[in-house]
Amino acid sequence: MLPQHLWALVSVASTAFCAATPTPRATICNGHAEYCSRSYSNITYIGAHDSFAFSSDPLALARDQEVNITAQLELGVRLLQAQAHMNGDVLHFCHTSCDLFDGGSVLNYLKHVKTFLDSHPNEVLTLLFTNPEGLSPAAVWKPIFDAAGISNLTYVPPSLPVKQSDWPTLGSMLDAGTRVVVFLDSEADGPDPAPFILPEFSMIWETPFSVTNDSFPCSVDRIHGPLATEDHMYLINHSLNKNIIPIGAGVIIPDPLDAPETNSVASILAHVDGCVPLGGDRAPAFVLLDFVNVGAGIQTAEILNGLIPGASGSASATAKGASQTSKAPSRQRRGWQWVVGPVSMMGGDEFRCMCM
């Protein structure tokens, strides 16, 4: 047995060793090592529009997806969008109304999300929910997140709003265990906020929705201050609809027949190309799609994120990206071809210790 004074030396040496030993850092983030040093706002994510509204029945005209939440996430979707309505005294995800398409309770939905997060610990996920009835984030929404076990996984910014260039890296979010970003389209900055439920339009602007023009002309459709437009992230609504009764306001339904073309590399890049000048010469943070299992949405995101060295498409864009902690891939116009340059990453070890 060591004398007491030697035990003291061993204890001091152990503490010094731990202080100089870096805590393991995330090395794979959302499936790619390259993303760990990229800021959250400096990556393009594919999103599922009305993610709850899934059905394999082609006669379900109000469906926007063909596969369920888990399947969407397994495909690589990293933004889930949904619209909520009260159904009796329980909050449900419903399409316009719960009579048209009832996707079940928000709690049950979030439990499926939590199961995915538990089995995929290196993923950062964004939840973007619509709150048309103006329900209280603190009194209605937060308790549901608490019950699903997601609240303690959420990212809470040090202050609001967050400029596009001020978001943390994916690696740091994973290291901190704050890997779910929650946005709400209304009331998040109202009189009854919840810290982790963030106001969408003060940090993200969107293109028009319910689009029936397959050329997807780009414009800034919804945005709030005080940040300048170029200091926002942005989302393109790249889902095509058909007006089946073009009388008066018409009747708009999702268009599954054209989904292979709508969700093609060429169509998505053409839409991005029109938006880049409005978005500070950056690619969108989010591309929202119907029928995410159809077409090439995930492949297009990899092009936009610089993972594919070069890819031909129907359009090109200049997207320089901006982040305090990393540089985005350089993308330059060259005829009708995307040319994607290397990713430059910056990082540093963080020294911590958990010793006994």
Side-chain angles (χ1 to χ4, degrees), residues 219-268:
S219 62
V220 179
D221 187 56
R222 289 174 290 175
I223 188 171
H224 289 167
L227 297 180
T229 300
E230 59 269 21
D231 287 329
H232 286 65
M233 296 181 285
Y234 70 98
L235 177 152
I236 65 172
N237 286 293
H238 194 79
S239 52
L240 189 64
N241 297 273
K242 293 292 187 185
N243 190 348
I244 59 173
I245 305 178
I247 300 174
V251 176
I252 305 295
I253 64 170
D255 181 10
L257 296 181
D258 287 332
E261 173 58 28
T262 301
N263 294 353
S264 68
V265 172
S267 180
I268 296 171

Side-chain angles (χ1 to χ4, degrees), residues 6-28:
L6 290 180
W7 275 116
L9 288 174
V10 170
S11 177
V12 171
S14 174
T15 301
F17 175 79
C18 287
T21 302
T23 297
R25 297 175 65 90
T27 57
I28 299 294

Side-chain angles (χ1 to χ4, degrees), residues 73-293:
L73 293 169
E74 294 287 356
L75 284 169
V77 166
R78 290 298 174 267
L79 166 71
L80 295 175
Q81 187 270 348
Q83 181 182 116
H85 294 268
M86 293 300 295
N87 189 355
D89 58 356
V90 178
L91 190 62
H92 279 220
F93 281 134
C94 300
H95 192 290
T96 305
S97 77
C98 293
D99 292 331
L100 182 61
F101 197 112
D102 189 343
S105 73
V106 174
L107 178 58
N108 187 58
Y109 176 105
L110 289 179
K111 286 180 176 179
H112 286 291
V113 173
K114 179 61 161 55
T115 298
F116 175 85
L117 290 167
D118 288 345
S119 59
H120 296 77
N122 293 321
E123 301 297 316
V124 174
L125 180 64
T126 302
L127 303 175
L128 173 56
F129 296 151
T130 300
N131 189 29
E133 295 170 5
L135 302 173
S136 164
V140 177
W141 285 92
K142 183 180 181 299
I144 299 173
F145 278 89
D146 293 345
I150 292 179
S151 297
N152 62 349
L153 298 177
T154 57
Y155 175 71
V156 179
S159 63
L160 290 173
V162 184
K163 292 176 63 175
Q164 187 275 341
S165 58
D166 288 345
W167 287 86
T169 64
L170 257 59
S172 66
M173 294 171 73
L174 289 171
D175 290 342
T178 54
R179 56 196 184 95
V180 180
V181 185
V182 182
F183 291 102
L184 201 64
D185 74 332
S186 68
E187 295 304 315
D189 52 358
D192 200 16
F196 64 84
I197 299 178
L198 311 180
E200 177 192 3
F201 295 120
S202 63
M203 291 175 280
I204 302 170
W205 62 262
E206 289 193 17
T207 65
F209 60 96
S210 296
V211 176
T212 56
N213 182 347
D214 62 8
S215 67
F216 292 98
C218 193
S219 62
V220 179
D221 187 56
R222 289 174 290 175
I223 188 171
H224 289 167
L227 297 180
T229 300
E230 59 269 21
D231 287 329
H232 286 65
M233 296 181 285
Y234 70 98
L235 177 152
I236 65 172
N237 286 293
H238 194 79
S239 52
L240 189 64
N241 297 273
K242 293 292 187 185
N243 190 348
I244 59 173
I245 305 178
I247 300 174
V251 176
I252 305 295
I253 64 170
D255 181 10
L257 296 181
D258 287 332
E261 173 58 28
T262 301
N263 294 353
S264 68
V265 172
S267 180
I268 296 171
L269 291 188
H271 194 174
V272 170
D273 194 43
C275 292
V276 161
L278 304 176
D281 288 334
R282 296 187 307 268
F286 309 105
V287 177
L288 200 60
L289 303 176
D290 285 339
F291 311 109
V292 293
N293 61 310

